[in-house]
Amino acid sequence: MHEWERIPREAARSLARLLPRVEQAFAAAGGNATDWAAFEQRLRREWPRLFELLLGLYGTQYDFFYHLEQLLIAMAQSWHERPHWLKQRDAVREADSEWFQSERMMGGVLYVDRFCGTLNRLREFIPYFNELGLTYLHLMPLFAAPEGNNDGGYAVSSYREVNPHIGTTAELAALAQELDRAGMSLVLDFVFNHTSDEHEWARRAQAGDPDYQEFYFLFPDRTMPDAYERTLREIFPTVRRGSFTWRPDMQRWVWTTFNSFQWDLNYANPAVFRAMAAEMLFLANLGVAVLRLDAVPFIWKRLGTNCENQPEAHQIIQAFNAIARVAAPALLFKSEAIVHPDDVLSYISPHECQLSYNPLLMALLWEALATREVKLLAHSLSHRFRLPAGCAWINYLRSHDDIGWTFDDNDARAVGIDPWGHRQFLNAFYTGRFAGSFARGLPFQENPDTGDARVSGTLASLAGLEQALGSGDPQMIDTAIRRIVLLHSVILSIGGIPLLYLGDEVGTVNDYSYVTDPAKAVDSRWVHRPARNQAGMDQRHDPATVPGRIFGELVRLIRLRTSLPALRDGAMEVVRSDNRHVLAYVRQAGSQRVLALANFSEYPQPIAGNLLRMYGPGVELFDVVAERAISANEALVLQPYQFVWLTPMR
């Protein structure tokens, strides 16, 4: 019998054996027949792929079927406990599986403690989020974490307890429901590559429990760490050289890819997979609509490789996806993979991560702003933007994290750019070390051995507003605002879900006070994680102020986006502009077509009328941004940092 014939038969036999025991456990927990019928129907649909994935990962383990049975019982229990309002949302979103592709989708992201202090206080800002047009709110890590340095909350000590300084788990669940009533989906992080060394599992490992020591990678000497490190890259070289930390209390080396207090989990152990699946379903039942899967490339280790983007990492996420389709059907996954563009794309599919950050677009928008040329941006997007059906990009200009230059070296060479030298230029430009730079960023994790570095800074500071405000020059301020709005125009129109880091909508600049806090001083990313800019928010309706100008333009564009069905989903075609400073792309849905043009230079740039006729199409066009007619019988001159969204005149 061929392998492709054997696995489906084994899957069917296994389900036939396991299902009665799962149903019995469901009934014993008080589950009703209607809920069981819905659960069983979805389980039968997803079971063949879930079984095959788990068999590939753990089929050689002696206790494989024990873990399989316990996993199914936990899934059934989670479905039984799922609140009624979430089951209603499941039904609605299963019926409209492309709800997240709408032109009305608009994301926002913030740290609760930095923005307003507590979850209860955050509820007071729901009208503000509605004013911005948000339909998706990502709250940065807010669960229990070590005091002091905790990598911005990414060292999780409990997946079920909110940081007591922020609130309670009950308050988080109530907020999720209130956001849903206000038309917003809650997004949280699922930090599943590692836990903090204060997590219960880590504490048990430290106490000598052999079962929990197998949750992590522990080594008695340097033999295996040295063998692994021959092919690993350093992620935080200024924090700690290498990927392992010595623990005197255990007399063991621990695998710590990021910080010494973040212990990598051992997914070769099926108990780890099952435990994390339970944590995922707990978060889903709080009302989370989207889970941001943190650090996805790192979750599987293989000696002799860089331990990134291994095939098993994909199998694990796909298995989590199948579990969610059964026990929390409306839950979506968002991939965070800041790696080579080919590897970013590999995590995106309806059966893995339906959403993904678009680090290539983010990095190359900044690259185009620095060079005033769009050749690398246009070339890369022309063959790296398309996604499988049923998936979408999350398009952002900056996040809580640093900016790394993750473009493909061969793409750079194809347009005449030396990749290594170009990255050095971009780092110099955005840290203000390049003569004539308008940016005010800081270096992050400069590696003295390789010359590699990334960049920290708020959007406004990187786009020149901090420098301009310091000069007091009205023309420089106007130019900086034009850059800020231009960048947002692209993420609002190019296809996918636009994402704002809250504070950028009112031009928040760098906060250098982080250096006075010992827990943050060594991490320059805190320069772009400032407290809420209340002064800017108070001025948002005053067009005579800088915050008012930025806020007013962004809200206008966000509302305009919702009126353009052509901006739905992610179908986008880069087209020629015949001007190295102007990015051109076409969006189309149904009968509506939009030609977007964006000038990345501080000088006027012409676009030939024949190109407008070719891509418009037609002679008479209408710029929906400026609300004016455009004739394709003559050249269109884009003013400095101007953008247009052109539709055929009706």
Side-chain angles (χ1 to χ4, degrees), residues 348-418:
I348 309 169
S349 84
H351 297 300
E352 195 161 343
C353 294
Q354 301 92 342
L355 306 173
S356 174
Y357 286 104
N358 194 345
L360 180 67
L361 176 65
M362 180 272 297
L364 292 186
L365 285 173
W366 289 109
E367 185 272 345
L369 206 66
T371 62
R372 282 74 162 180
E373 295 191 349
V374 301
K375 60 183 180 182
L376 181 55
L377 173 62
H379 175 74
S380 298
L381 293 182
S382 66
H383 66 286
R384 296 190 184 279
F385 193 85
R386 189 178 301 277
L387 291 180
C391 298
W393 288 117
I394 304 295
N395 296 318
Y396 65 113
L397 298 172
R398 65 105 170 179
S399 67
H400 72 290
D401 226 333
D402 54 276
I403 296 175
W405 310 111
T406 56
F407 55 81
D408 177 71
D409 287 1
N410 288 328
D411 283 354
R413 295 186 185 103
V415 294
I417 293 173
D418 166 53

Side-chain angles (χ1 to χ4, degrees), residues 343-501:
D343 293 318
V344 172
L345 286 167
S346 71
Y347 291 95
I348 309 169
S349 84
H351 297 300
E352 195 161 343
C353 294
Q354 301 92 342
L355 306 173
S356 174
Y357 286 104
N358 194 345
L360 180 67
L361 176 65
M362 180 272 297
L364 292 186
L365 285 173
W366 289 109
E367 185 272 345
L369 206 66
T371 62
R372 282 74 162 180
E373 295 191 349
V374 301
K375 60 183 180 182
L376 181 55
L377 173 62
H379 175 74
S380 298
L381 293 182
S382 66
H383 66 286
R384 296 190 184 279
F385 193 85
R386 189 178 301 277
L387 291 180
C391 298
W393 288 117
I394 304 295
N395 296 318
Y396 65 113
L397 298 172
R398 65 105 170 179
S399 67
H400 72 290
D401 226 333
D402 54 276
I403 296 175
W405 310 111
T406 56
F407 55 81
D408 177 71
D409 287 1
N410 288 328
D411 283 354
R413 295 186 185 103
V415 294
I417 293 173
D418 166 53
W420 188 89
H422 202 52
R423 290 187 177 95
Q424 300 304 305
F425 157 71
L426 291 169
N427 283 326
F429 186 93
Y430 281 107
T431 56
R433 299 170 179 173
F434 187 84
S437 170
F438 50 72
R440 292 293 180 267
L442 297 177
F444 177 71
Q445 295 299 324
E446 282 189 292
N447 189 324
D449 295 337
T450 65
D452 185 37
R454 283 104 79 190
V455 174
S456 298
T458 68
L459 184 149
S461 290
L462 295 178
L465 185 59
E466 181 180 332
Q467 180 202 55
L469 291 173
S471 74
D473 184 328
Q475 185 173 350
M476 289 178 64
I477 293 171
D478 180 71
T479 299
I481 292 173
R482 283 174 170 268
R483 293 191 196 103
I484 291 169
V485 178
L486 171 81
L487 292 175
H488 282 100
S489 80
V490 177
I491 67 167
L492 285 166
S493 61
I494 201 165
I497 302 175
L499 181 63
L500 289 174
Y501 193 102

Side-chain angles (χ1 to χ4, degrees), residues 239-251:
V239 172
R240 183 203 63 251
R241 303 312 300 265
S243 298
F244 297 86
T245 298
W246 175 249
R247 291 291 301 216
D249 55 336
M250 301 166 61
Q251 292 293 293

Side-chain angles (χ1 to χ4, degrees), residues 228 231-233 255 298 300 302 304-310:
Y228 277 108
T231 52
L232 297 181
R233 68 182 175 108
W255 198 316
F298 299 93
W300 192 271
R302 174 170 283 110
T305 73
N306 63 0
C307 295
E308 297 179 37
N309 307 303
Q310 298 299 303

Side-chain angles (χ1 to χ4, degrees), residues 145-167:
E147 292 291 334
N149 187 8
N150 52 41
D151 192 22
Y154 283 96
V156 179
S157 299
S158 172
Y159 296 91
R160 304 194 180 208
E161 299 174 54
V162 170
N163 184 327
H165 299 302
I166 294 174

Side-chain angles (χ1 to χ4, degrees), residues 104-140 142 172 175-176 178-187 498-506 532-534 537 540-541 551 554-556 558-559 562:
R104 296 183 175 275
M105 288 299 296
M106 185 71 215
V109 58
L110 57 85
Y111 275 101
V112 174
D113 55 338
R114 304 293 287 163
F115 188 79
C116 63
T118 67
L119 291 169
N120 277 340
R121 180 83 196 283
L122 188 66
R123 297 164 78 169
E124 301 173 17
F125 290 90
I126 289 177
Y128 179 74
F129 303 146
N130 280 330
E131 182 183 352
L132 260 176
L134 302 188
T135 59
Y136 153 134
L137 187 64
H138 181 179
L139 305 183
M140 298 299 292
L142 44 67
L172 178 59
L175 174 66
E178 189 167 346
L179 288 172
D180 185 78
R181 286 194 293 265
M184 278 175 276
S185 295
L186 176 63
V187 184
L499 181 63
L500 289 174
Y501 193 102
L502 270 293
D504 288 349
E505 78 282 6
V506 289
R532 181 180 77 255
N533 183 356
Q534 187 60 51
M537 289 170 62
R540 70 186 185 276
H541 297 139
F551 185 89
L554 292 187
V555 168
R556 187 175 73 86
I558 291 166
R559 290 176 180 167
T562 68

Side-chain angles (χ1 to χ4, degrees), residues 439-634:
R440 292 293 180 267
L442 297 177
F444 177 71
Q445 295 299 324
E446 282 189 292
N447 189 324
D449 295 337
T450 65
D452 185 37
R454 283 104 79 190
V455 174
S456 298
T458 68
L459 184 149
S461 290
L462 295 178
L465 185 59
E466 181 180 332
Q467 180 202 55
L469 291 173
S471 74
D473 184 328
Q475 185 173 350
M476 289 178 64
I477 293 171
D478 180 71
T479 299
I481 292 173
R482 283 174 170 268
R483 293 191 196 103
I484 291 169
V485 178
L486 171 81
L487 292 175
H488 282 100
S489 80
V490 177
I491 67 167
L492 285 166
S493 61
I494 201 165
I497 302 175
L499 181 63
L500 289 174
Y501 193 102
L502 270 293
D504 288 349
E505 78 282 6
V506 289
T508 305
V509 297
N510 287 344
D511 177 7
Y512 299 100
S513 68
Y514 78 95
V515 298
T516 64
D517 183 341
K520 299 173 180 176
V522 298
D523 187 344
S524 68
R525 292 173 300 177
W526 285 105
V527 80
H528 58 239
R529 301 170 182 170
R532 181 180 77 255
N533 183 356
Q534 187 60 51
M537 289 170 62
D538 290 342
Q539 296 176 329
R540 70 186 185 276
H541 297 139
D542 183 353
T545 66
V546 169
R549 291 174 64 187
I550 295 172
F551 185 89
E553 274 300 294
L554 292 187
V555 168
R556 187 175 73 86
L557 290 176
I558 291 166
R559 290 176 180 167
L560 179 57
R561 167 185 160 83
T562 68
S563 70
L564 296 171
L567 302 188
R568 178 181 176 82
D569 71 43
M572 183 277 296
E573 179 189 2
V574 174
V575 297
R576 50 185 280 207
S577 71
D578 288 354
N579 185 317
R580 69 181 189 273
H581 306 290
V582 178
L583 179 68
Y585 50 94
V586 170
R587 303 295 316 284
Q588 184 160 355
S591 62
Q592 189 181 66
R593 182 178 178 89
V594 173
L595 169 62
L597 301 169
N599 176 11
F600 276 78
S601 86
E602 59 266 69
Y603 299 104
Q605 300 296 334
I607 300 295
N610 69 306
L611 286 174
L612 301 181
R613 292 191 296 273
M614 184 185 307
Y615 299 118
V619 175
E620 300 303 320
L621 303 172
F622 187 73
D623 176 14
V624 297
V625 175
E627 298 183 331
R628 68 187 182 107
I630 301 289
S631 173
N633 284 323
E634 56 190 32

